[in-house]
Amino acid sequence: MGASAPKVCIIGAGCSGFTTAKRLADHGIVFDIFEKSDRVGGNWAYGNPNGVSACYQSLHIDTSKTRLQFEDFPVPADWPDFPHHSLIDSYFNAYVDHFGLRERIRFNTEVTACRPLDGGGWEVTAAGETRRYDMLVVANGHHWKPNIPAFPGHFDGAQIHSHDYRTPFEPVNMVGRRVLVVGLGNSAVDIASELSQRPMAAKLFVAARRGVWVLPKYLGGKPSDKQALPEWMPIGLKRRLAAFVVKRAVGSMESYGLPAPDHAPLEAHPTVSSEFLLRCGSGDITVKPNIAAFEGGSVRFADGSSEAIDAIVYATGYQISFPFLSDADAPVIDNHIGLFKRMVRPERTDLWFMGLAQSLPTLVNLAEQQSKLLAAWLTGTYGLPDANAMRRMIGEDEARHQGHYYASRRHTMQVDFDVYKREIAHELKAGQNRRKDWPAATTAAAA
């Protein structure tokens, strides 16, 4: 690379940050990577001192091992199908060490401000020091700022978000208590399944605004996410066939005491559990409608019923947030930000976001695919479309990946990993035909 080669700042050393760093290193691109914590792994580092990990002690990933592995660093062959978080964390650390990335990460260095420069480039302030970069790559994750709904009234008991849940004893001792879990997503059913065991909570309730389909981890003795239909099959047909298989495997949700979903299987981000339905069917979990109001030591629900409750766990999702960026540079509206290929705003092509998606079946290796586009653009082998074309393609992509989901803040970033991976490969080829030099303004700023 010449003297005008871009210098890149990467924020975050979770799986999205360090896989991006590895790709840039492979292409000889100069970068700094800043990590707020003293370790890599982000959300999967249990007990992470940066305070943003949502990892709880019993957590197992709901994606099968071969679906989450990196292309050039396979997971160990002796792993179980659905590994514990400690294995994921050790895998991440092995990846970082194998590719010599650890010594390139600036640990214990929080980025506090990023200011765009006229003509391109950024001033980045981290640990009190301000540096200048041509490119800013944001990989700070989106499962760290809890979304907690407000309800009328006052609740006397303990309240935590699932982000803060660690064990049945920490940070709130829930053994022998009447506990309410709010939500029916993956964290909700995991935590509810754990707390509903007889030696744990005295009584476990789950409050749900709407019904969901709970998918099994296994179908026919094999991980369900490994039984993909052929790639040549139209997306709509694949979804209909998959929905038929799900209904046949689990039956109606009402038979487990759950509310009837108002959508078909796979028309919502899937909730995956092989234990939750058993707990419901065994009477260990009582499902209630949404909260109507707090009444001191009890909770009144939308159906008029009331239950004495000692503690509440909100498994109600997260808010997208970039505390080091202005609202103008990262305009998030109703938990949505429009990005070309889920990475870059048409208005600011020197700002890229990695891993900012809700990818199925997994987010772990999404940035590994995204970084191919970023590296190609930085090295001049790929050209972005013009701004108007990017805006049009954003709408088309969101309709394709999200159009079949019901309208919800939960579904503003959905992508199908297999479809998305093919789209990245196609876009790389298309970008070769529109290849152009590194933007003149940014080159001038780097010179």
Side-chain angles (χ1 to χ4, degrees):
M1 309 274 302
S4 62
K7 185 176 182 181
V8 181
C9 172
I10 303 172
I11 302 175
C15 57
S16 296
F18 65 66
T19 53
T20 299
K22 190 264 181 185
R23 182 81 61 188
L24 299 192
D26 287 347
H27 287 78
I29 298 168
V30 178
F31 66 88
D32 288 331
I33 176 169
F34 297 107
E35 169 53 48
K36 179 180 178 181
S37 184
D38 63 356
R39 63 198 68 181
V40 301
N43 209 35
W44 286 94
Y46 181 67
N48 198 325
N50 66 8
V52 298
S53 171
C55 194
Y56 42 93
Q57 190 178 63
S58 62
L59 177 65
H60 289 73
I61 197 165
D62 54 22
T63 304
S64 63
K65 60 184 179 183
T66 55
R67 295 288 278 159
L68 62 83
Q69 67 186 355
F70 301 118
E71 288 181 338
D72 51 4
F73 196 74
V75 298
D78 61 352
W79 267 19
D81 289 332
F82 298 97
H84 184 251
H85 68 75
S86 59
L87 294 177
I88 304 293
D89 186 51
S90 65
Y91 175 62
F92 287 173
N93 277 274
Y95 179 101
V96 167
D97 290 332
H98 178 78
F99 293 111
L101 298 171
R102 192 175 301 274
E103 58 269 24
R104 304 191 64 170
I105 300 171
R106 296 173 182 266
F107 290 105
N108 298 306
T109 307
E110 180 180 3
V111 172
T112 54
C114 299
R115 186 176 70 86
L117 300 173
D118 293 339
W122 294 82
E123 280 189 350
V124 176
T125 301
E129 181 182 358
T130 299
R131 298 167 178 261
R132 188 169 177 171
Y133 295 92
D134 303 305
M135 274 286 304
L136 183 62
V137 176
V138 176
N140 71 318
H142 55 90
H143 290 138
W144 62 270
K145 185 175 183 180
N147 176 61
I148 301 179
F151 297 103
H154 173 75
F155 181 65
D156 294 335
Q159 302 179 69
I160 65 170
H161 191 273
S162 58
H163 181 272
D164 300 311
Y165 178 83
R166 294 295 175 267
T167 74
F169 319 98
E170 182 189 0
V172 176
N173 189 343
M174 300 189 187
V175 175
R177 307 179 77 181
R178 295 171 65 86
V179 179
L180 172 65
V181 175
V182 182
L184 272 178
N186 287 296
S187 295
V189 300
D190 252 15
I191 293 170
S193 296
E194 178 169 73
L195 292 177
S196 66
Q197 297 178 62
R198 293 296 180 171
M200 299 301 176
K203 183 66 178 177
L204 195 287
F205 301 90
V206 169
R209 287 187 304 168
R210 65 194 308 160
V212 304
W213 289 93
V214 181
L215 280 57
K217 285 189 172 183
Y218 285 91
L219 287 171
K222 297 179 180 180
S224 55
D225 63 14
K226 292 179 67 175
Q227 302 181 49
L229 293 167
E231 291 188 0
W232 51 262
M233 187 175 291
I235 295 175
L237 177 59
K238 289 171 69 173
R239 290 181 182 133
R240 289 193 294 273
L241 290 174
F244 171 78
V245 172
V246 168
K247 288 182 177 180
R248 186 173 183 180
V250 299
S252 71
M253 294 295 98
E254 304 95 292
S255 63
Y256 302 94
L258 292 164
D262 59 2
H263 55 278
L266 307 182
E267 289 183 359
H269 185 81
T271 297
V272 181
S273 175
S274 291
E275 183 177 3
F276 180 73
L277 295 180
L278 174 62
R279 293 285 173 193
C280 290
S282 300
D284 295 334
I285 294 173
T286 300
V287 180
K288 308 289 287 186
N290 198 25
I291 295 171
F294 296 138
E295 298 174 335
S298 64
V299 174
R300 179 162 46 86
F301 298 94
D303 62 356
S305 64
S306 182
E307 298 287 350
I309 299 294
D310 299 311
I312 298 175
V313 180
Y314 295 99
T316 45
Y318 295 86
Q319 301 178 42
I320 302 172
S321 181
F322 312 101
F324 41 80
L325 289 170
S326 72
D327 291 342
D329 294 320
V332 178
I333 301 174
D334 200 22
N335 235 37
H336 172 266
I337 180 171
L339 299 172
F340 174 68
K341 298 304 175 186
R342 291 302 322 154
M343 283 181 276
V344 59
R345 294 183 61 221
E347 300 78 11
R348 190 89 207 190
T349 58
D350 57 0
L351 170 62
W352 288 54
F353 298 85
M354 309 304 288
L356 187 59
Q358 196 71 18
S359 174
L360 295 176
T362 179
L363 180 65
V364 167
N365 45 16
L366 180 73
E368 181 187 36
Q369 302 303 317
Q370 294 178 318
S371 64
K372 296 175 181 179
L373 210 66
L374 174 62
W377 188 61
L378 291 173
T379 55
T381 60
Y382 163 81
L384 284 166
D386 63 47
N388 287 332
M390 281 196 276
R391 294 186 187 98
R392 173 181 55 79
M393 294 169 74
I394 288 171
E396 292 171 352
D397 288 350
E398 290 185 351
R400 181 164 53 258
H401 285 277
Q402 303 166 19
H404 60 291
Y405 292 104
Y406 65 77
S408 169
R409 285 166 53 95
R410 188 186 188 197
H411 298 139
T412 58
M413 302 188 298
Q414 291 291 145
V415 297
D416 180 304
F417 179 84
D418 293 325
V419 174
Y420 182 80
K421 182 179 177 180
R422 293 197 302 273
E423 289 174 356
I424 292 296
H426 180 270
E427 177 57 26
L428 276 168
K429 292 180 180 178
Q432 291 173 357
N433 297 325
R434 67 173 94 94
R435 188 175 70 186
K436 53 190 174 183
D437 293 334
W438 175 256
T442 306
T443 303

